[in-house]
Amino acid sequence: MVGIGDLHYLHSNNYEDRIDRSTLASMPYLSQLLFARSTPLPSLPSQLGHTLTGRSITREDPFYYLRDLTNPATSEYLQQERNFMSRLEGTLEEMRDELVAEFRARIPEPDESYPTRRGSYEYFSRIEPDLDYPIHLRRKIGGTEVETVLDENAVAQNHDFLGISGIAIADDEHTIAYGVDFSGDERYLLRIGHLVDGVVTIDEEIPSTSYGFVFSNDARQLLYTRPDDTLRPAVVLAHSLGSDHSSDVVLMDEKDQRFYLDVGRTKDRNLLVISASSAITSEYWLLPSSGELGAPICFRPREQGLEYHLDHINGSFYLMAAHDGEEYRLFTVQDRLAPWEPFFELPNDDRLEGFEVTPLGIVLQLRSVDRTKLTYVAFEQVGEPAGVEISGDDAAVTSVLLGNAEPTATTIRIEETSLAMPATLIEIDLTTLERTILWQQRVLGGVDTTNYLTMRGYAPSDDGTLIPVTLVHRRDLTLPAPTLLYSYGAYGEPIDPGFSTMRLSLLDRGFVYAIAHVRGGGELGRQWHDLGRLEHKPQGFQDLRSAADWLVDNNISNPSLICLRGASAGGLMVAATLNLDPSRFRAAVLEVPFVDCLTTISDPDLPLTITEWEEWGNPIESDIIESLMASYSPYDNLKAERYPDLLVTTGLNDSRVSYWEPAKYVAKLRLLSPLTNVALKIENEAGHMGASKRTEVYQNEALVEAFLLAACTPSEPG
């Protein structure tokens, strides 16, 4: 057998000339053979001199011009990448189609959600066979007649992409609003109309809105957010229904570019709220929920490093708040001007993540060490040592607080799931704490979920810190085995274990699936986030590599067959880890990866850059941050070494990680490492969230799994 490093390439700009055909039959893995059969590879794009000058660092970027889609050289290069990807997909088509068929066979069609009560209706959604989008429905409580609230398939007609920013129905139960995005750039056309007998009539449209919008109680006004040029929700406006939107009243115009604005309503529906939030600071403003709105009243002026989140019920405010990276604590106050009083002191190992107020008490979303936990604290029990835990104690099971849409409800809904357990919807009666299973995700196709084993282990990182690793595989799998290791590690976002019917196809073909809960995420609270952001960002890369080592050391993973996967900031995590040791891994999938981070974070004119400085640091003002980012930026640190087989994805309309980041990354990798097998999948009609059509989601996931299977399958000679 001839190893990859023995392949012979000519120093030609024509990649087709670089392959010694005599070696094709002896390529050790199927993916290498398929890459070779997909030639000609894209020609290297032109290298144009472009100097990037920072505070103390000067960099040369030969592919900087790829950000210009009007440049014919850019269009030509991207088209060559599309053509190559199309040929590679052709070699994987049979396996992809087989996987798609498996995905669909496991999903009941039609597939219907469990109803949620709100007002005099219960609301649910249904996905019909051969349709790409859900149909949102409702029926009267106690009734049988179902009426359509919104059919996303009808909205998407004649469009290749559809994003819905949300659906709001006013308390009159007939006035409706929803936002539509037909490009993927997350700038929405807000439609307002009325719903009668299952038919929505659109009365008004407001262009260029963002995600947040909420009706006043009397359905006379709608508060909504508008993005600025960088797509930051920067303005809150009040629209009087039936009036020209050009006369809408500006309630708040946030000039500090670190802050996002959002709108909502308190649980008791007595107040409308405007929130202004950066990564580490927040502020709330209050408005009456009916009648004349007047000017917003600040609940507590922003204070750098103070984060708080509030709700209101039974005449009192309840808040979770934290200073300067400390863990959240729970407070209460009746008058916004009065001092906050501690409401409930958590046990030492518990960290507060969220809460839901009810007439009887508060349900807390917690983390206890590294597991999710739900605790109920009745108002009449405040002052007692502890609340009542209403979730299990298995670290591999995720317990999620879903809440309840009705302010007078004395029940609460939660969801429990794991990598091996389908999502289960549970309702808890807060008067008796009795649990009722309302619904469990159905899995068809003869799947027996007891055939899968999930567990959590702890990998010592380079500094001795134990990194949680959650994994799943078939009980009858012989270990060590090929492994897909997933990671994110940013923004304090936890990657909690959850069930996936599509992942079963990979498990059934002999894979282990694992999640590395690296620092930078929120799996162990706010400090876990702080230990992996700003100047500590590189720690996450060491954690991910250590997780891979632990899987090998414990005879779980085949050391030659470990694959990585990450998306967006997780794509940076994976790509930076690859740069530490390019030969360590068999394959990697980088989805919309943030790989040119130093260039992007240094450009305040790009969407969302300024708001990102509290996560990554500001290289414009700090030599330390600039030097640090230059040391780990995946694009800037690519090596002239063979990398694992790579599948990289991007969307032309991505407003969060611009298409040119993955495109430049692939171009530079082709230049420096012609031995590396890499493919760039470009979504022409999508943004950061990828394809919106259900069929395309299945196909894209099947392509990823087919790629990983080929990467870990020995090629047959001949």
Side-chain angles (χ1 to χ4, degrees):
M1 177 177 288
V2 179
I4 302 174
D6 297 317
L7 298 181
H8 176 64
Y9 283 72
L10 301 175
H11 293 287
S12 165
N13 196 50
N14 184 347
Y15 274 43
E16 189 175 11
D17 294 338
R18 297 188 180 190
I19 299 174
D20 182 344
R21 300 290 172 176
S22 66
T23 66
L24 292 183
S26 55
M27 290 182 173
Y29 296 104
L30 178 59
S31 59
Q32 297 165 349
L33 189 62
L34 299 183
F35 269 97
R37 288 176 176 171
S38 302
T39 54
L41 298 175
S43 299
L44 284 172
S46 301
Q47 299 177 57
L48 302 180
H50 186 88
T51 302
L52 296 168
T53 303
R55 287 178 56 88
S56 58
I57 294 175
T58 299
R59 295 173 293 140
E60 292 297 321
D61 186 353
F63 302 118
Y64 185 87
Y65 73 92
L66 288 177
R67 65 174 51 205
D68 182 8
L69 270 178
T70 65
N71 187 328
T74 300
S75 300
E76 170 63 21
Y77 171 64
L78 294 181
Q79 189 56 50
Q80 286 197 51
E81 290 288 359
R82 290 188 189 96
N83 293 342
F84 176 71
M85 187 70 238
S86 178
R87 291 192 292 273
L88 182 63
E89 285 190 73
T91 69
L92 295 166
E93 183 176 12
E94 183 176 350
M95 174 57 71
R96 185 197 64 190
D97 291 349
E98 180 181 319
L99 291 167
V100 168
E102 289 181 9
F103 296 169
R104 302 203 70 146
R106 298 189 188 108
I107 299 172
E109 293 185 330
D111 192 13
E112 196 169 280
S113 68
Y114 194 84
T116 296
R117 178 169 182 165
R118 186 177 181 278
S120 60
Y121 287 88
E122 56 180 9
Y123 292 81
F124 57 103
S125 62
R126 178 187 298 150
I127 296 180
E128 297 284 358
D130 302 320
L131 293 181
D132 279 312
Y133 300 99
I135 302 170
H136 303 278
L137 306 162
R138 71 179 183 180
R139 59 177 165 248
K140 284 280 190 179
I141 302 296
T144 59
E145 185 176 350
V146 175
E147 69 176 40
T148 300
V149 173
L150 187 70
D151 183 349
E152 291 190 24
N153 300 281
V155 176
Q157 193 169 5
N158 300 322
H159 296 279
D160 292 325
F161 178 92
L162 173 66
I164 298 287
S165 60
I167 303 172
I169 297 177
D171 288 352
D172 65 5
E173 301 188 321
H174 297 293
T175 306
I176 184 172
Y178 61 94
V180 294
D181 165 24
F182 295 121
S183 70
D185 68 356
E186 299 181 71
R187 194 180 292 271
Y188 294 88
L189 175 67
L190 186 58
R191 293 175 170 173
I192 306 169
H194 59 277
L195 169 63
V196 178
D197 296 330
V199 177
V200 174
T201 302
I202 301 300
D203 303 316
E204 310 172 61
E205 293 185 334
I206 303 176
S208 190
T209 69
S210 194
Y211 288 96
F213 51 93
V214 63
F215 284 110
S216 60
N217 289 5
D218 53 17
R220 292 171 50 200
Q221 299 193 74
L222 179 74
L223 271 60
Y224 66 95
T225 57
R226 173 165 289 162
D228 62 12
D229 291 340
T230 67
L231 292 181
R232 175 181 66 97
V235 182
V236 172
L237 301 98
H239 173 72
S240 294
L241 271 62
S243 69
D244 191 313
H245 67 79
S246 63
S247 62
D248 290 352
V249 177
V250 175
L251 296 175
M252 186 168 294
D253 186 354
E254 179 57 63
K255 300 301 184 183
D256 190 330
Q257 291 182 290
R258 298 174 301 160
F259 284 80
Y260 290 72
L261 298 183
D262 200 2
V263 295
R265 188 169 59 161
T266 56
K267 182 65 175 288
D268 60 9
R269 302 179 184 173
N270 286 341
L271 296 165
L272 299 174
V273 297
I274 299 173
S275 64
S277 302
S278 76
I280 60 173
T281 305
S282 57
E283 179 182 56
Y284 277 76
W285 297 72
L286 309 177
L287 293 155
S289 55
S290 292
E292 295 300 321
L293 297 179
I297 298 173
C298 186
F299 181 81
R300 174 166 174 167
R302 70 186 61 170
E303 176 184 331
Q304 180 68 15
L306 170 63
E307 291 182 74
Y308 69 92
H309 307 275
L310 63 79
D311 209 338
H312 190 265
I313 201 166
N314 297 345
S316 294
F317 291 98
Y318 296 91
L319 311 98
M320 51 182 277
H323 280 275
D324 297 327
E326 296 177 347
E327 299 298 335
Y328 283 113
R329 296 176 61 202
L330 202 60
F331 298 89
T332 185
V333 67
Q334 288 187 316
D335 187 316
R336 65 182 180 85
L337 300 177
W340 298 356
E341 297 291 335
F343 174 71
F344 178 73
E345 293 297 337
L346 299 174
N348 289 335
D349 289 339
D350 287 356
R351 299 172 177 88
L352 180 62
E353 283 193 325
F355 68 97
E356 180 86 6
V357 295
T358 77
L360 301 180
I362 299 182
V363 182
L364 309 180
Q365 177 81 58
L366 305 169
R367 288 191 182 271
S368 182
V369 188
D370 62 337
R371 70 177 180 91
T372 56
K373 177 180 175 181
L374 301 174
T375 294
Y376 171 56
V377 182
F379 290 132
E380 62 186 24
Q381 294 174 328
V382 172
E384 295 186 6
V388 179
E389 184 172 353
I390 57 174
S391 57
D393 59 0
D394 187 342
V397 174
T398 301
S399 299
V400 180
L401 173 61
L402 300 180
N404 197 308
E406 285 295 291
T408 59
T410 57
T411 58
I412 202 80
R413 288 184 179 181
I414 70 171
E415 180 183 275
E416 293 185 348
T417 185
S418 79
L419 293 177
M421 182 178 78
T424 304
L425 179 63
I426 300 168
E427 187 167 76
I428 300 175
D429 186 331
L430 297 179
T431 62
T432 64
L433 298 185
E434 181 181 355
R435 294 162 58 100
T436 302
I437 295 178
L438 301 178
W439 171 89
Q440 186 172 57
Q441 179 183 3
R442 289 194 296 156
V443 186
L444 305 183
V447 172
D448 182 355
T449 57
T450 63
N451 289 334
Y452 304 93
L453 173 67
T454 185
M455 61 166 285
R456 175 164 292 177
Y458 300 89
S461 192
D462 61 323
D463 62 355
T465 301
L466 296 179
I467 309 303
V469 180
T470 312
L471 60 93
V472 63
H473 58 76
R474 285 188 63 94
R475 290 182 183 274
D476 57 3
L477 180 65
T478 300
L479 299 175
T483 298
L484 174 58
L485 179 58
Y486 183 89
S487 189
Y488 186 70
Y491 305 107
E493 290 292 330
I495 303 300
D496 290 318
F499 189 77
S500 166
T501 58
M502 292 188 286
R503 189 186 301 129
L504 298 180
S505 292
L506 211 55
L507 301 180
D508 288 346
R509 287 170 172 79
F511 263 72
V512 175
Y513 176 80
I515 304 170
H517 304 284
V518 303
R519 280 170 278 191
E523 288 86 347
L524 276 80
R526 289 161 58 84
Q527 289 187 350
W528 199 249
H529 174 211
D530 288 340
L531 291 171
R533 72 180 184 101
L534 298 176
E535 69 273 15
H536 304 298
K537 192 65 195 175
Q539 186 60 62
F541 318 147
Q542 299 293 340
D543 293 350
L544 179 54
R545 184 164 65 171
S546 297
D549 291 341
W550 178 84
L551 289 167
V552 171
D553 293 343
N554 285 273
N555 204 43
I556 296 168
S557 298
N558 183 324
S560 301
L561 298 177
I562 299 181
C563 306
L564 300 180
R565 184 175 185 179
S568 193
L572 181 154
M573 175 68 62
V574 169
T577 303
L578 293 179
N579 282 342
L580 297 177
D581 187 359
S583 64
R584 176 70 177 81
F585 301 97
R586 173 75 281 278
V589 179
L590 308 179
E591 296 168 286
V592 293
F594 184 35
V595 284
D596 192 21
C597 55
L598 179 54
T599 303
T600 293
I601 287 293
S602 300
D603 187 348
D605 294 329
L606 288 177
L608 310 181
T609 289
I610 293 176
T611 62
E612 297 285 327
W613 284 342
E614 290 181 341
E615 173 70 23
W616 305 93
N618 182 353
I620 299 174
E621 296 184 354
S622 169
D623 289 337
I624 294 175
I625 290 297
E626 182 187 43
S627 177
L628 183 68
M629 293 193 78
S631 73
Y632 70 72
S633 169
Y635 175 70
D636 293 294
N637 289 279
L638 284 170
K639 300 178 180 180
E641 300 180 25
R642 183 185 64 81
Y643 280 71
D645 292 355
L646 292 173
L647 175 61
V648 183
T649 74
T650 188
L652 281 188
N653 298 324
D654 193 337
S655 59
R656 303 192 186 203
V657 177
S658 299
Y659 76 87
W660 59 74
E661 292 199 37
K664 288 167 54 180
Y665 178 86
V666 170
K668 189 174 182 181
L669 189 58
R670 292 197 187 283
L671 172 67
L672 294 177
S673 180
L675 289 171
T676 294
N677 295 316
V678 58
L680 177 64
K681 182 170 178 58
I682 303 168
E683 297 279 2
N684 294 328
E685 303 293 338
H688 194 66
M689 305 305 175
S692 64
K693 294 181 179 179
R694 185 170 62 125
T695 51
E696 292 178 0
V697 171
Y698 293 160
Q699 290 172 350
N700 288 345
E701 180 60 24
L703 174 65
V704 168
E705 293 191 16
F707 165 77
L708 293 168
L709 288 165
C712 295
T713 299
S715 65
E716 297 181 2

